[in-house]
Amino acid sequence: MRLAIGSDHCGYTMKMQLLPYLKENHEVTDFGCYSTDMVDFPDIARKVCSAILKGEADRGIMFCSTGCGAVIACNKIKGIRAALCHDRYSAHQCVEHDDVQVLGIGGEVIGYYTAKEVIEAFLDAEFSQGEEFQRRLEKLERLEAV
């Protein structure tokens, strides 16, 4: 899978801890940040989401202190669905039911092993093609026009 990943300065440490694991199993493009120097997460979120919308990446992962800001930023971009997940169930369910493309993780909320499990669940999941899920996805897309 082609992954677009990014972080702000608060999520940098966890991103760097998980980067070797991600690169073992996936084609990874890291859109920053590249140190613990302060950076604004919306700037990185834009780059990660742009790669997905252009078809350069299949999914994205954003790391910040709580994951909340990164997810808010991603969800502001038309065509992107992002979810904050700190457990396996939410991580696979958000893809299966809502076709989420970007996972938000709080680098100061969960540890390495839990984050790894959450990422695995997110990346292994596929969107369910059931009529009810497709109908809901279409309704979500119409909300972007409001």
Side-chain angles (χ1 to χ4, degrees):
M1 185 174 294
R2 298 171 304 156
L3 298 179
I5 67 167
S7 70
D8 69 359
H9 52 286
C10 295
Y12 172 78
T13 300
M14 177 164 282
K15 180 185 74 170
M16 295 309 294
Q17 289 172 340
L18 287 161
L19 195 55
Y21 159 72
L22 292 170
K23 285 185 173 182
E24 279 179 20
N25 301 292
H26 306 283
E27 179 185 325
V28 177
T29 304
D30 182 356
F31 288 95
C33 68
Y34 305 111
S35 74
T36 55
D37 294 341
M38 189 174 290
V39 65
D40 296 332
F41 59 81
D43 299 330
I44 306 300
R46 178 184 302 279
K47 294 175 185 179
V48 168
C49 294
S50 178
I52 293 167
L53 293 172
K54 290 178 182 175
E56 298 167 355
D58 302 305
R59 299 230 180 117
I61 304 171
M62 282 291 301
F63 301 90
C64 70
S65 62
T66 64
C68 294
V71 167
I72 291 168
C74 292
N75 280 322
K76 295 288 185 183
I77 298 171
K78 184 175 182 176
I80 292 294
R81 289 171 304 283
L84 174 65
C85 299
H86 291 137
D87 65 90
R88 291 182 57 84
Y89 180 76
S90 298
H92 72 77
Q93 192 83 352
C94 72
V95 174
E96 292 166 356
H97 289 195
D98 306 310
D99 200 20
V100 164
Q101 306 127 302
V102 180
L103 172 65
I105 292 183
E108 296 178 4
V109 176
I110 60 174
Y112 171 84
Y113 292 104
T114 302
K116 187 176 170 188
E117 289 178 357
V118 168
I119 290 169
E120 287 173 353
F122 174 73
L123 297 177
D124 288 345
E126 295 181 19
F127 179 58
S128 301
Q129 296 299 318
E131 183 272 328
E132 70 273 26
F133 303 118
Q134 190 61 47
R135 181 183 68 247
R136 293 173 191 151
L137 185 59
E138 290 168 6
K139 289 181 178 186
L140 287 173
E141 291 169 351
R142 284 196 300 268
L143 287 174
E144 291 179 340
V146 175

